[in-house]
Amino acid sequence: MELISRDQINDEVKQYIVNQDELLYIHHYHLQLVDNIPHALADTYIPYSLFKDIFPVLRDSAIDLYVLMEKLGYPVTQKEERLYVDMPTPKEQKFLELLHNKQQQVVRLDCRVWSNSTLVEICILCDRGDLYEFNYNVSMNS
């Protein structure tokens, strides 16, 4: 986890982060594996202002982010996801071991998480599209 400035994020994330000068950035270099084959990468962005008072503790420990958000008064109340198929970047090809097949597509899941009207997380996930199918169950609360 590291602290980054707004000018260090890509345009895809910038469109959602409008009032934040600094963000916490978590890059998941450890890969999720299926049968010992890497299949997922994720980049997570969190507004620094939510955690600035406890950043040293957060940076140096393995804390469940959503549990911590709730303790700080930011329980997750809404989540929005966009799922689409795309071509991997060179970095993604390397980490996901797709260098042998330059035409292999990936499945992307862009996720935005809110606590009431406060945006608390943006996660950009990249999965290999050749290892499994994606199934979604959505519950509607009234």
Side-chain angles (χ1 to χ4, degrees):
M1 179 180 302
E2 63 182 291
L3 184 60
I4 62 172
S5 66
R6 182 176 167 71
D7 61 348
Q8 292 175 278
I9 60 177
N10 64 34
D11 290 336
E12 185 176 351
V13 175
K14 259 184 205 171
Q15 68 182 326
Y16 302 116
I17 304 286
V18 289
N19 296 324
Q20 298 293 323
D21 291 328
E22 296 179 301
L23 300 162
L24 294 180
Y25 169 65
I26 305 168
H27 184 86
H28 299 279
Y29 285 109
H30 65 282
L31 300 175
Q32 298 173 6
L33 302 175
V34 171
D35 294 331
N36 215 22
I37 299 170
H39 76 90
L41 291 172
D43 290 312
T44 301
Y45 302 88
I46 304 163
Y48 176 63
S49 59
L50 301 179
F51 299 102
K52 65 182 175 185
D53 294 336
I54 61 162
F55 178 61
V57 174
L58 183 62
R59 183 186 59 213
D60 297 331
S61 61
I63 295 173
D64 182 305
L65 189 58
Y66 290 161
V67 170
L68 180 61
M69 284 183 193
E70 189 163 348
K71 286 180 181 176
L72 294 173
Y74 296 101
V76 172
T77 57
Q78 182 182 347
K79 191 175 200 181
E80 183 178 300
E81 297 179 340
R82 181 173 68 119
L83 181 73
Y84 57 101
V85 176
D86 196 8
M87 295 304 293
T89 65
K91 179 178 88 171
E92 292 164 343
Q93 283 181 331
K94 177 184 172 196
F95 279 112
L96 296 174
E97 298 180 6
L98 295 173
L99 295 173
H100 63 283
N101 185 355
K102 300 284 187 189
Q103 300 304 312
Q104 177 63 52
Q105 294 179 321
V106 293
V107 177
R108 297 194 188 280
L109 179 66
D110 298 349
C111 177
R112 289 172 291 164
V113 179
W114 284 270
S115 177
N116 298 315
S117 62
T118 302
L119 182 66
V120 294
E121 178 189 24
I122 294 176
C123 183
I124 309 296
L125 180 70
C126 175
D127 279 290
R128 288 179 61 148
D130 61 337
L131 295 179
Y132 50 87
E133 70 180 58
F134 290 80
N135 294 302
Y136 272 80
N137 293 321
V138 178
S139 297
M140 303 302 286
N141 296 327
S142 54

